Amino acid sequence: MKWKEQLLSLTPYQPGKSIEEVKKQYGLAEITKLASNENPFGCSKAASDAMQKDLSFYALYPDGYAQELRDTLSNFLKVKPSQLIFGNGSDEIILMIARALLSPGTNTITSAPTFPQYKHNAIVEGAEIREAPLKNGGFDLDKMLELIDENTSVVWICTPNNPTGVYIPEKDLIAFIEKVSEDVLVVIDEAYCEYTTAEDYHDSVKLVERFPNVIALRTFSKIYGLASLRIGYGIANEKIIRGLEPVREPFNANRFAQAAAIAAVGDQSFIENCKEANRKGLEQFYTFCKSRDLKYYLSQANFILIDFAADADEVFQYLLEKGYIVRSGKALGFPEAVRVTIGSEQQNAGVISAMEQYLKDQNDRN
């Protein structure tokens, strides 16, 4: 096989451990998964009901243009239907962008550490990846501007950033985009935007209207609680969408996902309740970190990155054996931290108690 040379040393995306795997390995009856930033409250009942309405379409392809979902979102967002593109999760749209715009001889810019698929897809396409180190957990936009040249095709911005939860204030984001050439696509990955409470968080619809080279990516996997259905979308001007459509796989948004997403958009009270519960959950972790003098980032997402000043894999393993799956920061670029998804009040209290015990045991050893 004549594989692309860059694939030979490229590691595939590594998801967190599954609940079933941990139960079997450690003989535990109950597991709390707080590793993948899923919604601990599930999805809206309206969304789950929508998937049960018509079970006769298993043998039929989904609507390849997702017309009903497209119309629903365009009305909700106040954009034209032709300004939307759908993917098998927003991950697939990231792949589409890389496939459409990146190739040998081009480069792409981001900060690091951040969501790894920007870099992963750039490597697959043979493009050069240029990364500016994070600044206080957020994207260093000034350093990123310095990296842009005539061969730059795509700039990736994750706000709130994964894995830190730090966001970019709107004025800073606008000032950055104004300095980027219009022939460079600026991708704003805002997978966690529905969780944000910062008053100066940007309005992506307004940014898309103002700047012809901006696309915003969103997902139904996080606050909408539809991660298993894999559906996300992009918002941009019609020219960008037309450019991306030829690389979109046919029928990439399945029928169940489309039906659930339509219903989920219509139940914004569920979203508001999840957002409020998330803020309260973050406060539980902030209180714990302050009491133990642990470093952390203020998060605008549904997770928190906590620095234990210890080997991240050790902390991860300790919590795992207590029945809590979190994410080791080693693979995320923070070797002494763990990233914890905000759960229900009870789940948060449970993992915090396990963390307290870890710190006690660590102190006893020292």
Side-chain angles (χ1 to χ4, degrees):
M1 297 292 181
K2 297 180 180 179
W3 302 104
K4 288 183 177 180
E5 185 178 345
Q6 61 266 31
L7 298 185
L8 300 179
S9 59
L10 190 60
T11 303
Y13 180 79
Q14 298 294 320
K17 286 182 175 289
S18 70
I19 291 174
E20 293 75 16
E21 180 185 0
V22 175
K23 279 185 176 180
K24 183 177 180 181
Q25 184 174 358
Y26 295 101
L28 297 170
E30 286 193 29
I31 300 294
T32 301
K33 185 186 177 191
L34 300 171
S36 301
N37 307 335
E38 296 141 328
N39 189 337
F41 307 107
C43 67
S44 160
K45 185 177 183 301
S48 58
D49 287 348
M51 289 185 285
Q52 308 300 321
K53 282 185 178 179
D54 185 358
L55 301 182
S56 64
F57 52 49
Y58 286 102
L60 304 177
Y61 286 110
D63 175 4
Y65 194 61
Q67 187 66 63
E68 189 177 354
L69 175 57
R70 186 178 298 273
D71 290 341
T72 298
L73 268 178
S74 68
N75 289 330
F76 178 68
L77 298 170
K78 309 302 180 191
V79 299
K80 296 177 183 177
S82 53
Q83 288 183 264
L84 298 169
I85 189 167
F86 296 94
N88 186 350
S90 56
D91 291 349
E92 189 191 20
I93 306 177
I94 293 170
L95 186 151
M96 291 182 209
I97 292 168
R99 188 175 182 188
L101 291 170
L102 298 180
S103 60
T106 66
N107 66 64
T108 184
I109 314 295
T110 191
S111 269
T114 189
F115 187 54
Q117 292 306 99
Y118 314 142
K119 181 176 183 177
H120 182 97
N121 285 307
I123 293 173
V124 170
E125 299 303 331
E128 178 190 358
I129 178 80
R130 298 178 177 180
E131 300 170 303
L134 294 182
K135 184 178 181 180
N136 300 322
F139 274 44
D140 191 334
L141 300 179
D142 291 334
K143 290 293 184 184
M144 288 173 64
L145 281 172
E146 294 175 6
L147 297 175
I148 296 174
D149 64 18
E150 67 277 5
N151 295 319
T152 302
S153 289
V154 183
V155 172
W156 306 93
I157 294 174
C158 188
T159 177
N161 185 37
N162 179 9
T164 63
V166 174
Y167 80 107
I168 301 170
E170 182 178 47
K171 64 178 179 58
D172 296 337
L173 185 57
I174 290 174
F176 172 81
I177 298 171
E178 286 176 335
K179 296 172 184 174
V180 177
S181 172
E182 287 190 5
D183 64 355
V184 175
L185 182 65
V186 178
V187 183
I188 303 174
D189 186 349
E190 47 183 40
Y192 303 92
C193 64
E194 293 91 355
Y195 282 109
T196 60
T197 58
E199 292 183 1
D200 58 348
Y201 187 76
H202 70 273
D203 182 331
S204 55
V205 172
K206 290 182 179 178
L207 290 182
V208 165
E209 290 174 352
R210 179 174 172 182
F211 298 102
N213 59 328
V214 168
I215 183 169
L217 307 185
R218 293 183 180 180
T219 182
F220 284 94
S221 295
K222 304 305 179 185
I223 202 168
Y224 282 97
L226 300 176
S228 69
L229 296 179
R230 309 308 300 125
I231 185 150
Y233 62 98
I235 314 164
N237 68 55
E238 294 164 296
K239 186 176 180 181
I240 291 175
I241 300 300
R242 283 197 302 270
L244 290 175
E245 279 289 352
V247 296
R248 180 178 63 82
E249 292 293 322
F251 312 113
N252 63 330
N254 71 76
R255 282 182 177 268
F256 291 99
Q258 290 186 41
I262 290 166
V265 171
D267 188 1
Q268 288 300 307
S269 62
F270 173 79
I271 301 303
E272 288 302 316
N273 289 339
C274 291
K275 181 176 181 177
E276 177 61 24
N278 185 72
R279 297 318 300 178
K280 290 179 179 178
L282 278 168
E283 290 298 332
Q284 288 179 264
F285 286 97
Y286 294 159
T287 299
F288 160 67
C289 290
K290 290 172 184 175
S291 71
R292 286 295 195 160
D293 199 27
L294 297 175
K295 294 180 181 178
Y296 65 96
Y297 291 105
L298 289 172
S299 176
Q300 286 291 323
N302 70 330
F303 56 82
I304 183 170
L305 187 71
I306 304 174
D307 189 338
F308 280 85
D311 183 271
D313 285 349
E314 177 185 286
V315 182
F316 163 81
Q317 186 64 33
Y318 184 95
L319 296 176
L320 187 68
E321 294 177 18
K322 299 292 184 183
Y324 294 94
I325 310 174
V326 298
R327 195 70 186 267
S328 169
K330 261 194 185 170
L332 305 176
F334 292 88
E336 295 188 338
V338 295
R339 190 192 67 191
V340 187
T341 303
I342 308 305
S344 66
E345 182 178 1
Q346 182 179 5
Q347 290 171 335
N348 297 336
V351 73
I352 287 171
S353 177
M355 289 174 175
E356 290 276 15
Q357 189 60 50
Y358 168 79
L359 293 172
K360 181 180 182 299
D361 291 351
Q362 185 187 49
N363 186 62
D364 290 346
R365 287 198 303 271
N366 295 334

